[in-house]
Amino acid sequence: MLIICQPFCLGKLLDYFSQPETTITRDQAYVYAAVFVLLAALYVITFNWMILEETVLGMKVRVACGSLLYRHALKQTKSNLSKTTVGQTINLFANDLKRFEGLFTFLPFVLFITPIELIVSIYIFDVGYSHAALTAVAALVLIALGMCTY
C-alpha cells in the first residue's frame, strides 16, 4: 500500500510545479513532498524487515530439513547406501536445501502481495483494457510465476 500511495503524492507535486495557476498552495506542496518521502522511508524499513524475517525462517526450515536428511542417512543400511552416490547426497545438502531459503523469501510475494497489488492497482488507477495495461498485468503475473519456479 505504501508504494501504491506514492504516485498520488507525486501527481499532486507535479500539478503544483507544472501549472502556472494551480489550486495547490506552497504549504500543501510541502506536505505532499513530506508524505512522499515518509512513504518511501516506511517502505524501505518494512520491506527490509520483512525480507530479514523471511530469510531467517527459510534458514530455520533448511536446517531442520538438513537434520532430517542427516538422521535418515545415518539409519540407512549398506544395501540402501550402495544405491545412491556421494554426489547425490552432497547435492541434496548443498543445492536442494538452499532452495528453502528462496522459497520462504518469495512465497509471500507470490501468494499475498502480488495479487493484492494487482487488484488494488487495477481498481485505484481504473486501468481499463488498453494494451499497455494488459501488458503490465501480464508482466506482473509472469514475474510472480517466475518466482514460483525459483
Side-chain angles (χ1 to χ4, degrees):
M1 292 307 295
L2 296 172
I3 291 298
I4 292 174
C5 294
Q6 277 184 326
F8 291 116
C9 295
L10 187 60
K12 295 294 185 178
L13 280 173
L14 289 175
D15 286 344
Y16 175 74
F17 287 110
S18 65
Q19 299 173 0
E21 296 177 15
T22 182
T23 59
I24 300 171
T25 65
R26 176 182 242 162
D27 292 336
Q28 288 175 331
Y30 282 134
V31 169
Y32 288 129
V35 169
F36 182 80
V37 170
L38 180 67
L39 288 173
L42 285 173
Y43 175 74
V44 167
I45 291 168
T46 56
F47 182 76
N48 287 335
W49 175 78
M50 182 182 70
I51 293 294
L52 172 72
E53 293 297 322
E54 291 167 354
T55 304
V56 167
L57 179 64
M59 286 180 179
K60 287 180 181 180
V61 170
R62 183 179 118 190
V63 168
C65 289
S67 174
L68 286 173
L69 280 174
Y70 185 70
R71 276 191 242 144
H72 182 71
L74 288 177
K75 292 179 183 177
Q76 294 297 314
T77 61
K78 282 189 177 188
S79 62
N80 285 343
L81 287 175
S82 64
K83 294 177 185 175
T84 60
T85 63
V86 175
Q88 289 173 332
T89 307
I90 291 173
N91 187 38
L92 275 174
F93 282 105
N95 296 333
D96 296 342
L97 287 178
K98 178 77 172 147
R99 301 269 183 190
F100 280 109
E101 289 179 42
L103 172 73
F104 283 94
T105 301
F106 294 118
L107 193 63
F109 288 103
V110 174
L111 292 180
F112 305 114
I113 296 171
T114 302
I116 290 171
E117 275 185 355
L118 190 63
I119 292 167
V120 170
S121 297
I122 289 172
Y123 177 76
I124 288 177
F125 298 120
D126 194 23
V127 173
Y129 292 105
S130 67
H131 292 298
L134 293 176
T135 304
V137 169
L140 192 57
V141 169
L142 288 175
I143 289 170
L145 292 176
M147 287 182 187
C148 287
T149 60
Y150 175 76

